[in-house]
Amino acid sequence: MERIGAGLIFKALKDMNRVWDAIPSYWVIVGHCLNAAMCSPDLQGYFVVHFWITFLTGFGGGTMTSIMMMNHERAPLSILSNHTLAVTYLVCWWLVNHFPRKLVSGMLSRKPCKMLIKACTQLCRAKLIQTRINLAVEMYPNNLIGPLIIGTLCACGGKLTQDTVRLAQGVLVGPHEANVQTYSSRSAFLCALFYLLACKWPATAVMTQEEAFSAMALLLVVHVIAAEWSGRPLDWTLPIVNTLLLVTNIAAPATPLSGPSHRALSKSGSASVLSKS
């Protein structure tokens, strides 16, 4: 019975993979671009900074891992190698932020549209995790850590990049993603770990690449739709991460100060730390 149940699950995942493949990839990218362009509305008055920070929010993970892997044939820098993507993002960014009377951004702020474009982003994250880990496994054979790092950063690098740019501009709200990890980093790590162990690491592989991708994409897409629909975070990563921290006796990150209070503390505290050292 267990074998039959597992077989049905794997068959369902294969069927779901055909559904993912049937969705036109270009329109998934368009939805992702629209979602990224909705970020950082407080910086719209500085259009150059706003364009780049929203672009890096959407494509920072891919950019970061492309630079790290240095394989420009299979992991190229998207904005340099694909003029279609660059133009698509520019058009989406303008429509969201500068279309007259904010008609486009107003429409995208409605719950059904917001769920759709956020689902596109999650599908893009799952696909990027799959392709980056597949390439990393080829480049770094018999290595578990390298592909795991690449798979994690490609799916959360956008949040890390966004926070870094906002920190440089002095407009970061809350702690940096590197200090206190949010759903972005936690889900990236857990999905990368799942995909790697489920289908790429010989000792633990029990799925095909298509089945593992389908399960990962389904989890990310269903979560974001359910979270938007309910208005609650429904963060499935917290119980897992909290359990891992408890078992390994690692304290959860403390929330650091940010903004003006952090800068004031830095001015007074850094001198005392330097004098002690």
Side-chain angles (χ1 to χ4, degrees):
M1 290 296 293
E2 292 180 0
R3 290 184 179 181
I4 295 175
L8 290 175
I9 292 174
F10 290 154
K11 183 180 183 302
L13 290 175
K14 286 182 180 179
D15 293 340
M16 180 57 66
N17 191 66
R18 297 190 187 98
V19 174
W20 300 132
D21 289 340
I23 301 174
S25 58
Y26 177 75
W27 293 110
V28 175
I29 292 292
V30 169
H32 174 55
C33 289
L34 291 170
N35 186 43
M38 296 282 287
C39 298
S40 300
D42 55 315
L43 295 178
Q44 285 183 2
Y46 309 93
F47 69 92
V48 174
V49 172
H50 186 257
F51 174 84
W52 283 112
I53 196 172
T54 54
F55 177 83
L56 290 173
T57 298
F59 299 93
T63 301
M64 186 184 301
T65 50
S66 292
I67 295 171
M68 292 174 66
M69 301 179 80
M70 295 183 292
N71 189 325
H72 300 303
E73 292 184 0
R74 298 184 59 184
L77 289 170
S78 56
I79 195 158
L80 300 180
S81 64
N82 190 340
H83 68 273
T84 301
L85 175 62
V87 172
T88 298
Y89 186 77
L90 178 62
V91 171
C92 289
W93 173 80
W94 181 85
L95 287 172
V96 168
N97 296 284
H98 300 284
F99 193 84
R101 299 187 179 182
K102 301 290 183 183
L103 292 178
V104 175
S105 60
M107 179 184 66
L108 294 177
S109 297
R110 296 178 179 177
K111 186 173 288 188
C113 294
K114 189 183 292 187
M115 287 192 296
L116 179 61
I117 60 177
K118 286 193 173 187
C120 289
T121 290
Q122 297 307 312
L123 189 54
C124 285
R125 291 181 78 209
K127 195 65 180 177
L128 191 58
I129 291 173
Q130 181 191 37
T131 55
R132 285 293 195 263
I133 288 182
N134 288 349
L135 178 58
V137 168
E138 293 181 22
M139 292 178 64
Y140 317 118
N142 302 318
N143 188 335
L144 183 65
I145 302 302
L148 180 59
I149 292 174
I150 293 295
T152 300
L153 286 177
C154 75
C156 69
K159 183 67 167 65
L160 287 166
T161 308
Q162 179 194 50
D163 283 2
T164 301
V165 175
R166 293 187 69 93
L167 181 65
Q169 294 290 320
V171 292
L172 178 63
V173 179
H176 194 287
E177 183 73 13
N179 292 336
V180 179
Q181 292 71 45
T182 64
Y183 175 80
S184 175
S185 294
R186 294 193 300 267
S187 61
F189 171 76
L190 292 175
C191 285
L193 181 64
F194 163 76
Y195 182 81
L196 191 58
L197 295 179
C199 70
K200 303 304 291 185
W201 192 248
T204 58
V206 294
M207 294 181 172
T208 64
Q209 295 182 24
E210 292 76 15
E211 291 165 351
F213 165 76
S214 185
M216 177 173 56
L218 186 64
L219 173 62
L220 293 174
V221 170
V222 168
H223 165 260
V224 76
I225 291 176
E228 283 297 323
W229 184 264
S230 65
R232 299 178 179 181
L234 303 179
D235 192 342
W236 57 270
T237 67
L238 273 178
I240 302 174
V241 171
N242 287 341
T243 301
L244 289 174
L245 292 176
L246 180 64
V247 170
T248 55
N249 197 34
I250 298 175
T255 303
L257 296 173
S258 60
S261 57
H262 175 66
R263 290 192 290 271
L265 180 64
S266 298
K267 290 180 181 179
S268 60
S270 58
S272 60
V273 170
L274 288 172
S275 63
K276 291 180 182 178
S277 61

